[in-house]
Amino acid sequence: MSRRRIGFWYRLAAVIAKPPLVVLFKRDWRGMEHIPADGGFITAVNHNSYIDPLSYAHFQYNTGRVPRFLAKDGLFKDGFVGRIMKGTGQIPVYRETTNALDAFRAAVDAIERGECVAFYPEGTLTRDPAMWPMTAKSGAARVALRTKCPVIPVAQWGANLALPPYSKKLTLFPRKRLQVLAGEPVDLSRFYDTEPTPEILREVTETIMAAVTELLEEIRQEKAPETPYDPRKARLAQRNKATGRSARSARSAVGKTPEPSPEPTPENTTEDSK
């Protein structure tokens, strides 16, 4: 998609969002040469702040290839934000409803029209305590295998320093540096002729997220944990720990010998026992 086809609503969103981003943040953008000049493609991006979609969108807008985000359907309701979301061609995601597959179909259609679809494969803000990418969902993998389009891994860092995950406290000063790094397309060719079983989708997803994590390691100059944080396993461990504490408390209470009642004495005898 060339810059001249970005469209009115995307240009309006850029006019509103870019000035404060330019004034309030520094930028360190690398890897723009990996964003395809034409044809449909996927970007897979890590997610660690409520405001990092603005950082990433700013980066990609400046390449001339605007992203179509998958976003929760509540953002598409009436109002100015909803009009912007619809006008810029973002893709609503209806979770746990009969319309849940619509996002998949819309993503495939957009790519086949030659557009970019941006995925946050984690599905939500990372819950990793050190803010590394956590285990991801298979949406990007499904669309990638269906369309066989390029998958560009993108790592970002810095927005989380201004607004940490799940925080409402925005810290703008001193100015934070928004770092975005796009990498070479992930090679998924070995999966193209396979049946998209749950095992294959998991392997494709892990391959994509490994590429994103490697880019984030480059940005942070740190090594990520060997095993990505899994929120489901963490919740299960917490439940098991809580259950274990309850069970130990119950066993302790059962095994405790009750203290004998005191013998009546002048000091502890009531009127009824006299």
Side-chain angles (χ1 to χ4, degrees), residues 39-203:
F41 65 101
I42 287 171
T43 55
V45 193
N46 68 305
H47 194 16
N48 54 30
S49 174
Y50 286 125
I51 61 174
D52 67 34
L54 295 175
S55 172
Y56 163 65
H58 189 189
F59 165 84
Q60 192 165 322
Y61 181 91
N62 278 30
T63 71
R65 301 299 308 278
V66 294
R68 309 298 182 189
F69 288 94
L70 283 87
K72 59 183 180 181
D73 62 293
L75 294 174
F76 293 78
K77 294 180 180 179
D78 294 337
F80 182 71
V81 172
R83 188 67 190 92
I84 287 285
M85 295 295 288
K86 295 173 184 176
T88 54
Q90 310 311 314
I91 301 172
V93 177
Y94 303 90
R95 296 178 179 177
E96 299 179 359
T97 71
T98 55
N99 297 324
L101 288 176
D102 289 352
F104 170 79
R105 298 189 187 100
V108 170
D109 290 345
I111 289 169
E112 290 178 345
R113 291 195 304 270
E115 299 182 8
C116 165
V117 176
F119 279 88
Y120 283 111
E122 297 160 278
T124 187
L125 292 169
T126 183
R127 290 185 170 88
D128 182 89
M131 287 184 281
W132 291 102
M134 61 181 183
T135 54
K137 301 181 184 301
S138 63
R142 291 177 184 274
V143 175
L145 294 185
R146 174 69 176 270
T147 62
K148 299 181 181 180
C149 69
V151 177
I152 310 300
V154 180
Q156 56 180 340
W157 186 257
N160 54 293
L161 303 179
L163 185 64
Y166 304 103
S167 172
K168 295 181 180 179
K169 184 178 180 181
L170 182 63
T171 304
L172 295 175
F173 300 101
R175 292 171 71 206
K176 308 301 186 289
R177 185 180 302 278
L178 302 180
Q179 297 176 270
V180 184
L181 175 59
E184 296 181 357
V186 181
D187 183 6
L188 301 176
S189 58
R190 66 186 184 278
F191 300 108
Y192 287 160
D193 296 324
T194 60
E195 183 71 20
T197 62
E199 292 75 18
I200 290 295
L201 290 172
R202 182 167 56 250
E203 187 174 353

Side-chain angles (χ1 to χ4, degrees), residues 135-137 202 229-239:
T135 54
K137 301 181 184 301
R202 182 167 56 250
Y229 180 83
D230 188 332
R232 290 176 297 180
K233 290 183 179 179
R235 286 194 298 269
L236 180 60
Q238 289 174 350
R239 285 198 297 267

